[in-house]
Amino acid sequence: MPLLEIKNLHARVEDKEILKGINLTVNAGEVHAIMGPNGSGKSTLANVLAGRDNYEVTSGEVLYEGKNLLDLDVEERARAGIFLAFQYPIEIPGVTNAHFLKTALNAVRKHRGLEELDAMDFLALVKEKMKLLEMDPGFLNRGVNEGFSGGEKKRNEILQMAMLDPKLGLLDETDSGLDIDSLKIVANGVNALRSPDRAFVLVTHYQRLLDYIEPDFVHVLSGGKILTSGDKELAKHLEERGYGWVVGKDAKAVGV
Amino acid sequence: MTETNQALEEITGQEYKYGFVTSIEEDRIPKGLNEDIVRLISAKKNEPPFMLEWRLRAYRHWLTMQEPTWQNVRYPKIDYNDIYYYSAPKQKAKPKSLDEVDPEIRETFNKLGISLAEQERLTGVAVDAVFDSVSVGTTFKGKLKEMGIIFCSFSEAVLEHPDLVKKYLGSVVPYSDNYFATLNSAVFSDGSFVYIPKGVRCPMELSTYFRINASETGQFERTLIVADEGSYVSYLEGCTAPMRDENQLHAAVVELVALGDAQIKYSTVQNWYPGDKEGKGGIYNFVTKRGKCAGENSKISWTQVETGSAITWKYPSCILQGDNSVGEFYSVAVTNNYQQADTGTKMIHIGKNTRSTIVSKGISAGHGQNTYRGLVKINKGAEGARNYSQCDSLLMGDKCGAHTFPYIEIKNSSAQMEHEATTSKIGEDQLFYCKQRGISEEDAVNMIVNGFCKQVFKELPMEFAVEAQKLLSVSLEGSVG
Ligand SMILES: Nc1ncnc2c1ncn2[C@@H]1O[C@H](COP(=O)(O)OP(=O)(O)O)[C@@H](O)[C@H]1O
Ligand SMILES: [Mg+2]
């Protein structure tokens, strides 16, 4: 059984149809990259999968571990193992990273039938993960994303992912705004989480990230549809020729 | 309405927990207000003549005054002749020790989590409990007495320490101050009195717990705290009332006096009954609180968490008279359903190098209306005065409102003022972020709101900070719509 099966998914935001028939199957252990020009619907797809309000599915279905994902609330999806690394992580002033992360972790653990972690065990675990992402433990006492640089926010997203141990990681433009060193650290963090029971969907505008996290499949999303799919070579072609190549080819195929 | 909003409404729809009524025999005087009533109250309390004269002066002055209308709150006209001005639990004789306090009353305080005896034994917090109009027991008296600290009911202070009362009563809030303070001066029934002698650091939190039990009763308590030179005291006040359909008036006066190098920290957790979801019933909380930093290097801090009352109208203020004195105001005010709050502070800088800090956090939910009104006044002689003000508003839903009226009067050009203000909506984005990490809606709202209030909560004594957080989450159950 695939981990995630998206069948003919249509979705709209505020009366505007944005996803116009997405089909995608993701198996455990795989890494899929979704590329496409700005405004093509990549973030919309990620948000629909995470269950955000105001993103309305108009037709199609999404199965997660064989069950209807669209029936679940946002937090139920999260506890069931769907993690979205945000393109623009939000600040929550006055709430420390440590408190936030511990609350989240224990909510998830409780759902999975695991014991809640006490402060000591939590600290031990989070410090170990922070090392991997070369984050200073001082971050734990700062407000969630409060005054973080762009790169720090993205690292913090990956830290959360490492802590919450999801089955499906959706990474929305995790590479954007990162300098090359931060990009490597983030990519290392993701690679360390790769495992046969876990899958990733990387949403990205540039092929750069894929130099560090090697995808098994690459899909090109444009105008709310996946126009073409291939392996990592496809990403290289895109890098050389630009999206116009795929989008144009498709335009010809449908006779525009 | 989105799912998120629905869930928020559910969370914020919780009931008032302290709304029970205790059935005890009450000793009441007739309804209404006139000179005879004022005399009767004074007589009930065996007051010395100076006290009665003061009350009468206040009453006569009150007759010449108009009820104020400038506050940003709406309420039907109050009939001052339809209120009982004195109601006391009937007791055979004045209790000499806590064991003699009426068991029903003790049970009430137990239900509220304030067991007088337990408090005394376990927590080291000295409590003066005011039930309707009279003080029913002051714990820890003996221990405090050894240090020369006076902590007793106001009535007792009038009888036992008349010189102190005479000297300081009305020295910060004169009987002619304002409509509600003047009314209070005429009819106040009880309250707490604290005196900390020179150089003494009060070893425990002093606390008063106010409870309105009887119906159609006004509660007019009066608190006076005097910190003599070089002393320190931290004082906490908590309040609840039963759920009743009618509105009840609570018009208190609190006066603080800090002499040279003295410090007073006054914290309030106010949870009077706010009325029901449709806005029926609830307490009108019209309170005058003012502190005077009379001596050099003195300091007064007000910290308040206001979650209750149908209408709250209060401006804990500081008169910074002594050079280098410091005034602080930290406030969280929550309005949910049809609650209204018009609250803020006044910082009056008179002495040189006086400093004040204002941090106000307003949270509005449901149809709640939350107004911050603040005055910072720098007098001519206040060379080098400084003020920092920060007013933040958090809106939950789109039917509520937040209003900010900061007034500034500067008569000395060396003053330094800093003012920051923000208004934010509890973000669907923030909620989504929390929920995407597996955190429930309820926990997410609590977390975000508590984060918003952090600067204020950290000023509260530890155990009360925890209490305040719990209160906040209860009073916001069911809020965005
Ligand atoms: N909340 C929203 N309201 C209205 N339009 C939106 C909203 N979110 C996205 N869109 C529109 O949907 C389209 C796809 O956006 P998005 O999924 O963010 O694209 P991408 O991530 O591929 O850049 C864009 O035209 C964008 O303007
Ligand atoms: Mg995007």
Side-chain angles (χ1 to χ4, degrees):
Chain A
M1 176 178 56
L3 181 64
L4 181 75
E5 245 184 313
I6 304 175
K7 295 180 192 166
N8 193 30
L9 181 70
H10 289 68
R12 66 177 174 206
V13 187
E14 289 170 10
D15 295 340
K16 188 174 159 197
E17 181 158 63
I18 295 173
L19 302 184
K20 300 170 182 169
I22 304 272
N23 291 289
L24 181 68
T25 299
V26 177
N27 292 298
E30 294 174 352
V31 175
H32 291 245
I34 296 186
M35 305 184 69
N38 277 329
S40 57
K42 304 184 296 292
S43 292
T44 302
L45 177 61
N47 280 310
V48 166
L49 293 177
R52 189 168 200 149
D53 274 348
N54 302 329
Y55 288 74
E56 190 193 345
V57 173
T58 49
S59 65
E61 71 177 328
V62 181
L63 299 178
Y64 176 74
E65 297 187 303
K67 281 181 260 158
N68 183 1
L69 180 71
L70 303 177
D71 276 351
L72 302 181
D73 288 339
V74 180
E75 58 270 39
E76 290 169 334
R77 297 183 198 194
R79 292 171 195 162
I82 291 184
F83 183 95
L84 171 60
F86 285 73
Q87 182 169 2
Y88 304 107
I90 194 131
E91 298 189 3
I92 310 179
V95 177
T96 63
N97 247 338
H99 178 58
F100 178 81
L101 207 45
K102 183 161 172 278
T103 308
L105 180 62
N106 281 333
V108 165
R109 286 179 67 92
K110 200 169 158 196
H111 177 83
R112 294 175 190 164
L114 299 169
E115 236 174 82
E116 294 191 14
L117 288 190
D118 63 22
M120 294 294 280
D121 292 342
F122 168 78
L123 274 179
L125 182 66
V126 73
K127 284 192 175 155
E128 173 199 319
K129 305 284 183 196
M130 287 178 99
K131 238 179 240 159
L132 182 71
L133 290 157
E134 300 180 26
M135 285 174 84
D136 187 290
F139 273 97
L140 287 174
N141 297 322
R142 288 175 56 182
V144 176
N145 294 319
E146 210 181 344
F148 286 23
S149 72
E152 287 165 348
K153 284 183 182 172
K154 296 299 173 79
R155 259 190 255 184
N156 199 33
E157 292 292 287
I158 305 304
L159 172 69
Q160 292 177 9
M161 180 163 76
M163 291 294 288
L164 298 182
D165 193 22
K167 289 179 188 156
L168 176 63
L170 306 168
L171 277 58
D172 193 358
E173 308 271 5
T174 294
D175 52 329
S176 70
L178 293 186
D179 61 33
I180 193 73
D181 292 330
S182 301
L183 180 65
K184 281 184 190 162
I185 293 167
V186 163
N188 280 342
V190 175
N191 285 329
L193 289 173
R194 285 181 79 154
S195 92
D197 330 308
R198 193 174 351 248
F200 290 95
V201 174
L202 313 176
V203 167
T204 179
H205 186 72
Y206 301 104
Q207 109 96 25
R208 190 172 73 138
L209 178 69
L210 307 182
D211 289 339
Y212 299 96
I213 309 173
E214 242 183 66
D216 302 303
F217 303 93
V218 173
H219 312 275
V220 177
L221 183 69
S222 180
K225 277 185 188 165
I226 291 179
L227 297 184
T228 183
S229 300
D231 59 14
K232 61 184 189 228
E233 293 305 312
L234 175 59
K236 297 222 170 87
H237 281 294
L238 285 171
E239 174 85 345
E240 283 156 20
R241 305 200 199 176
Y243 288 111
W245 169 65
V246 188
V247 178
K249 193 174 79 176
D250 180 71
K252 247 173 253 149
V254 296
V256 177
Chain B
M1 193 166 67
T2 64
E3 257 177 62
T4 302
N5 286 349
Q6 254 166 20
L8 274 174
E9 285 213 330
E10 276 162 30
I11 296 174
T12 40
Q14 238 210 26
E15 302 286 314
Y16 187 70
K17 228 173 41 176
Y18 306 101
F20 55 86
V21 177
T22 308
S23 59
I24 41 161
E25 266 191 272
E26 296 272 347
D27 172 17
R28 279 184 176 180
I29 61 175
K31 258 190 193 173
L33 186 53
N34 52 51
E35 277 206 21
D36 288 341
I37 292 284
V38 175
R39 287 175 198 280
L40 193 54
I41 293 171
S42 189
K44 283 261 177 210
K45 309 182 90 60
N46 297 319
E47 287 178 351
F50 87 88
M51 203 61 253
L52 174 62
E53 276 155 33
W54 200 74
R55 287 179 183 275
L56 288 172
R57 271 202 302 271
Y59 176 68
R60 288 170 195 148
H61 187 76
W62 184 73
L63 292 175
T64 69
M65 298 172 98
Q66 296 287 326
E67 197 169 329
T69 53
W70 49 265
Q71 325 86 305
N72 189 23
V73 298
R74 303 275 160 271
Y75 59 94
K77 212 167 161 38
I78 299 171
D79 181 355
Y80 291 92
N81 276 314
D82 197 31
I83 295 174
Y84 291 104
Y85 287 87
Y86 184 88
S87 162
K90 224 179 223 167
Q91 281 176 342
K92 279 144 229 121
K94 204 172 158 16
K96 287 206 185 55
S97 76
L98 287 172
D99 300 331
E100 290 175 27
V101 173
D102 188 325
E104 288 269 11
I105 296 174
R106 297 190 63 168
E107 183 50 30
T108 302
F109 283 108
N110 283 340
K111 270 195 226 171
L112 296 166
I114 324 271
S115 147
L116 299 180
E118 285 298 300
Q119 286 266 358
E120 177 159 335
R121 235 173 295 137
L122 301 173
T123 64
V125 178
V127 180
D128 184 27
V130 177
F131 196 83
D132 286 331
S133 301
V134 296
S135 174
V136 291
T138 306
T139 63
F140 256 124
K141 223 181 231 172
K143 189 160 177 198
L144 295 170
K145 205 169 174 182
E146 284 167 24
M147 306 182 76
I149 294 171
I150 304 170
F151 176 39
C152 62
S153 72
F154 204 96
S155 316
E156 197 178 325
V158 169
L159 299 177
E160 315 259 324
H161 310 281
D163 295 343
L164 282 173
V165 173
K166 233 190 239 173
K167 183 166 178 190
Y168 291 108
L169 176 69
S171 70
V172 187
V173 181
Y175 70 80
S176 55
D177 193 78
N178 71 74
Y179 192 80
F180 296 109
T182 301
L183 176 63
N184 173 289
S185 303
V187 302
F188 75 90
S189 31
D190 215 332
S192 295
F193 177 82
V194 176
Y195 173 78
I196 314 288
K198 272 185 199 168
V200 170
R201 188 180 170 90
C202 186
M204 62 189 79
E205 311 279 343
L206 298 184
S207 163
T208 300
Y209 203 89
F210 293 109
R211 168 108 182 135
I212 297 179
N213 187 62
S215 63
E216 298 173 83
T217 306
Q219 182 152 344
F220 304 92
E221 82 272 352
R222 187 144 193 132
T223 297
L224 174 58
I225 300 177
V226 180
D228 213 326
E229 285 169 23
S231 67
Y232 169 87
V233 62
S234 166
Y235 186 89
L236 183 109
E237 131 198 284
C239 342
T240 60
M243 295 197 279
R244 295 189 189 280
D245 285 350
E246 92 248 9
N247 295 106
Q248 284 178 283
L249 179 61
H250 174 249
V253 172
V254 176
E255 294 181 276
L256 311 182
V257 182
L259 301 181
D261 298 301
Q263 261 192 54
I264 301 175
K265 191 172 164 60
Y266 192 104
S267 314
T268 305
V269 174
Q270 184 265 113
N271 185 30
W272 296 118
Y273 178 52
D276 68 9
K277 277 186 200 160
E278 275 70 51
K280 199 168 162 50
I283 303 291
Y284 293 161
N285 188 33
F286 300 158
V287 172
T288 303
K289 289 184 167 171
R290 196 175 302 151
K292 182 153 82 178
C293 285
E296 285 180 21
N297 307 313
S298 55
K299 178 174 174 184
I300 290 179
S301 308
W302 296 101
T303 305
Q304 59 172 21
V305 177
E306 302 278 323
T307 62
S309 295
I311 303 178
T312 296
W313 181 89
K314 66 180 262 202
Y315 314 90
S317 305
C318 297
I319 300 171
L320 304 172
Q321 194 175 62
D323 290 348
N324 308 314
S325 60
V326 176
E328 294 176 335
F329 173 74
Y330 298 95
S331 169
V332 167
V334 181
T335 52
N336 193 6
N337 298 321
Y338 286 87
Q339 280 176 277
Q340 309 172 62
D342 192 313
T343 181
T345 185
K346 288 183 212 162
M347 294 290 175
I348 315 293
H349 293 252
I350 299 170
K352 294 192 179 65
N353 300 314
T354 44
R355 277 170 293 144
S356 61
T357 301
I358 298 171
V359 175
S360 162
K361 304 276 179 175
I363 301 168
S364 321
H367 294 263
Q369 293 295 329
N370 213 318
T371 300
Y372 169 81
R373 192 184 300 277
L375 169 68
V376 178
K377 190 170 168 182
I378 314 276
N379 281 11
K380 229 187 192 140
E383 200 64 29
R386 274 183 289 158
N387 165 263
Y388 171 77
S389 300
Q390 182 189 340
C391 305
D392 298 322
S393 307
L394 185 68
L395 301 175
M396 301 173 76
D398 46 20
K399 294 185 210 112
C400 52
H403 318 271
T404 306
F405 301 103
Y407 303 98
I408 297 173
E409 276 180 53
I410 302 180
K411 302 217 173 95
N412 184 310
S413 58
S414 68
Q416 287 179 46
M417 314 282 287
E418 238 183 291
H419 184 88
E420 288 174 30
T422 64
T423 299
S424 50
K425 234 178 137 158
I426 195 159
E428 300 246 334
D429 289 351
Q430 284 176 334
L431 281 177
F432 178 59
Y433 191 77
C434 294
K435 290 196 287 181
Q436 212 300 308
R437 299 305 184 242
I439 299 170
S440 71
E441 178 105 19
E442 188 177 342
D443 289 349
V445 171
N446 283 339
M447 197 186 286
I448 294 166
V449 169
N450 277 314
F452 176 76
C453 299
K454 190 177 195 173
Q455 271 170 293
V456 175
F457 286 168
K458 76 176 182 8
E459 297 296 326
L460 288 172
M462 186 59 181
E463 58 273 41
F464 300 126
V466 173
E467 186 63 15
Q469 285 191 18
K470 276 194 230 148
L471 253 182
L472 200 63
S473 71
V474 169
S475 46
L476 282 174
E477 305 222 332
S479 62
V480 169

